[in-house]
């Protein structure tokens, strides 16, 4: 007879967290009960939600918030009862618009050595997303712009409100989108589309992002008379114009835009459909082998991780030094300019540089917006 096999005793688990208290201002970490696809709660299992909680500044991340995200990702990775990680923002206006420009302008501008230290933290945040020991879902509840777009693309899945907008902002505000966009976008959407997105800094809709392949799914978020309707500000009923150019997801103009604005004014934003999509995605992964799923995710992350690791340190060095010139000018303009005038005078800047004027002269002040906030 075979020897009787007895199960080993339940482990007295060791604690692998870096710190005992992961709390940081404006970052919320909570474990929400995991659910089966039919919506029933699974006792003892959870999904970890990490929320950027700075809605007054469109969930832009401060230095402390970056630390909080890193610690929360580590805690969720180590949590034996966590199925998936959900990264999102507070409110319904923005997921994240990138680094906190107020902090950039008032502390880091002109201080490359300080910004270099901050960028170590930023790099660690992106790396933590790419190395998380659970699948990471970006719940895009609003604008995903600049660095927000970059940390969103570092996630494994993205599900968005169809009112969300996406895009890069670096060359318009004194930086370069080398916190992940130039690494991830060519892999995800191709070289030409990546070039247009990163250089021109023109925002695009959730429908366009879905069509490009950087979203797993989109959900309606506007309710009018109690019923969900598609984003009325973008074209969703046709794919091409009369010349064969793709118009799906593009912004409406003229009378169509006026009608869309009127419908927006009548409706209310409701993110319940988005939450259902996120919960459904978490539930699908709940019904898989956890280690097989993680290994699959890790393999599929490798192209992004390889590009990120190749460039992150040289990018950090360049971004730090740029705080003495264009970044200082761009972030100051955004922070101190009026609501409708937050960019430097790009033409004057190019003229001055072409004429040989040094950044050590009064160039910074000369190109600032004429109106103040």
């Amino acid at each position: 007879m075979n020897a009787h096999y007895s199960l080993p005793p339940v482990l007295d688990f060791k604690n692998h967290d870096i710190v005992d208290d992961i709390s940081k201002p404006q970052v919320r970490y909570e474990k929400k009960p995991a659910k089966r696809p039919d919506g029933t709660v699974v006792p003892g299992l959870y999904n970890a939600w990490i929320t950027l909680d700075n809605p007054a500044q469109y969930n832009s991340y401060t230095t402390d918030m970056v630390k909080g995200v890193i610690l929360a990702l580590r805690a969720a990775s180590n949590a034996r009862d966590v199925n998936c990680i959900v990264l999102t923002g507070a409110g319904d206006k923005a997921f994240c618009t990138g680094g906190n420009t107020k902090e950039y302008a008032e502390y880091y501008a002109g201080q490359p050595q300080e910004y270099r230290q901050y960028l170590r933290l930023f790099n660690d945040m992106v790396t933590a997303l790419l190395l998380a020991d659970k699948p990471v879902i970006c719940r895009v509840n609003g604008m995903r712009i600049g660095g927000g777009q970059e940390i969103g693309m570092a996630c494994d899945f993205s599900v968005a409100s169809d009112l969300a907008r996406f895009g890069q902002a670096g060359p318009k505000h004194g930086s370069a989108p080398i916190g992940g966009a130039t690494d991830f976008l060519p892999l995800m959407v191709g070289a030409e589309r990546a070039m247009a997105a990163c250089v021109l800094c023109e925002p695009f809709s959730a429908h366009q992002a879905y069509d490009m392949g950087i979203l797993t799914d989109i959900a309606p978020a506007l309710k009018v008379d109690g019923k969900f309707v598609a984003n009325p500000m973008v074209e969703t009923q046709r794919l091409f114009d009369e010349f064969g150019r793709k118009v799906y997801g593009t912004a409406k103009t003229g009378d169509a835009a006026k009608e869309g604005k009127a419908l927006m004014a009548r409706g209310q934003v409701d993110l319940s459909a988005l939450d259902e999509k996120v919960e459904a995605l978490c539930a699908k992964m709940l019904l898989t082998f956890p280690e097989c799923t993680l290994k699959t995710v890790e393999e599929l992350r490798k192209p992004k991780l390889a590009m990120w690791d190749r460039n992150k340190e040289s990018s950090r060095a360049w971004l730090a030094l740029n705080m003495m010139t264009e970044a200082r000018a761009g972030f100051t303009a955004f922070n101190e300019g009026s609501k409708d005038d937050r960019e430097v005078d790009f033409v004057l800047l190019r003229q001055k540089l072409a004429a040989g004027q040094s950044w050590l002269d009064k160039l910074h002040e000369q190109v600032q917006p004429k109106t103040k906030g």
Side-chain angles (χ1 to χ4, degrees), residues 91-366:
D92 58 24
K93 298 294 189 296
F95 160 67
C96 177
T97 54
N100 187 272
T101 52
K102 180 176 175 62
E103 186 179 56
Y104 283 4
E106 296 178 1
Y107 182 78
Y108 290 115
Q111 301 291 340
Q113 69 283 358
E114 292 297 304
Y115 197 54
R116 187 181 179 94
Q117 292 193 29
Y118 162 82
L119 287 167
R120 167 65 71 216
L121 292 171
F122 174 82
N123 283 2
D124 287 348
M125 176 171 62
V126 176
T127 300
L129 286 164
L130 292 167
L131 296 180
D133 285 337
K134 306 289 164 59
V136 184
I137 301 167
C138 182
R139 173 186 175 271
V140 191
N141 53 301
M143 290 186 291
R144 195 172 91 169
I145 303 292
Q149 168 77 324
E150 291 174 321
I151 63 173
M153 289 189 294
C155 298
D156 304 310
F157 301 90
S158 290
V159 181
S161 149
D162 75 346
L163 300 179
R165 289 188 299 142
F166 299 76
Q168 297 306 140
K172 285 284 189 182
H173 295 292
S175 189
I178 53 178
T182 54
D183 298 309
F184 306 148
L185 265 177
L187 296 171
M188 300 173 79
V189 305
E192 192 79 10
R193 279 183 164 180
M195 188 69 72
C198 290
V199 174
L200 303 180
C201 302
E202 295 174 346
F204 48 94
S205 70
H207 292 85
Q208 288 174 303
Y210 182 55
D211 185 57
M212 291 163 64
I214 62 174
L215 295 177
T216 302
D217 208 346
I218 56 177
L222 182 67
K223 264 189 175 177
V224 179
D225 298 330
K227 180 181 178 181
F228 279 115
V229 297
N231 183 347
M233 298 303 299
V234 302
E235 178 59 63
T236 59
Q237 299 305 305
R238 59 185 180 137
L239 290 176
F240 305 101
D241 66 10
E242 62 270 29
F243 301 107
R245 297 172 301 192
K246 184 169 283 189
V247 294
Y248 177 74
T250 57
K252 292 179 179 178
T253 59
D255 290 340
K258 292 179 182 177
E259 292 173 4
K261 288 181 180 178
L263 195 60
M264 286 287 295
R266 283 179 51 205
Q268 292 184 326
V269 177
D270 183 336
L271 298 181
S272 61
L274 173 63
D275 289 338
E276 288 176 6
K277 291 278 188 183
V278 172
E279 289 284 0
L281 185 53
C282 291
K284 289 178 180 179
M285 283 183 277
L286 184 67
L287 301 185
T288 64
F289 283 106
E291 292 302 316
C292 292
T293 295
L294 179 57
K295 178 58 177 174
T296 303
V297 168
E298 288 173 340
E299 290 299 315
L300 291 168
R301 287 171 176 167
K302 282 185 176 179
K304 287 196 289 188
L305 189 59
M307 291 299 293
W308 173 246
D309 284 341
R310 180 186 301 174
N311 300 316
K312 65 183 181 183
E313 289 307 309
S314 59
S315 295
R316 175 181 172 232
W318 183 88
L319 288 167
L321 292 173
N322 188 48
M323 266 298 185
M324 291 300 296
T325 54
E326 292 184 354
R328 177 178 174 233
F331 292 133
T332 300
F334 190 87
N335 186 54
E336 298 181 4
S338 67
K339 180 181 178 181
D340 298 318
D341 188 12
R342 288 185 162 182
E343 295 177 358
V344 302
D345 186 333
F346 296 115
V347 173
L348 179 61
L349 171 63
R350 288 173 178 269
Q351 290 173 329
K352 295 287 186 180
L353 292 174
Q357 184 166 337
S358 170
W359 279 100
L360 298 178
D361 298 326
K362 297 180 180 180
L363 182 58
H364 172 84
E365 290 300 326
Q366 291 171 339

Side-chain angles (χ1 to χ4, degrees), residues 10-91:
V10 175
L11 287 176
D12 182 11
F13 288 130
K14 291 184 180 295
N15 185 345
H16 298 116
D17 292 333
I18 297 175
V19 297
D20 294 328
D21 182 7
I22 67 167
S23 61
K24 288 291 180 180
Q26 298 176 307
V27 175
R28 286 190 276 117
Y29 176 81
E30 55 188 324
K31 295 199 296 186
K32 298 186 179 182
K35 297 178 182 178
R36 295 184 177 87
D38 64 5
T40 57
V41 171
V42 179
L45 295 178
Y46 304 89
N47 297 309
W49 284 55
I50 302 170
T51 303
L52 303 173
D53 192 7
N54 185 18
Q57 296 176 312
Y58 298 105
N59 296 322
S60 57
Y61 43 76
T62 63
T63 302
D64 273 344
M65 289 173 68
V66 173
K67 295 176 187 177
V69 172
I70 295 169
L71 293 172
L73 285 167
R74 185 61 177 263
S77 290
N78 287 342
R80 299 167 183 86
D81 55 2
V82 165
N83 168 47
C84 291
I85 300 170
V86 178
L87 179 65
T88 191

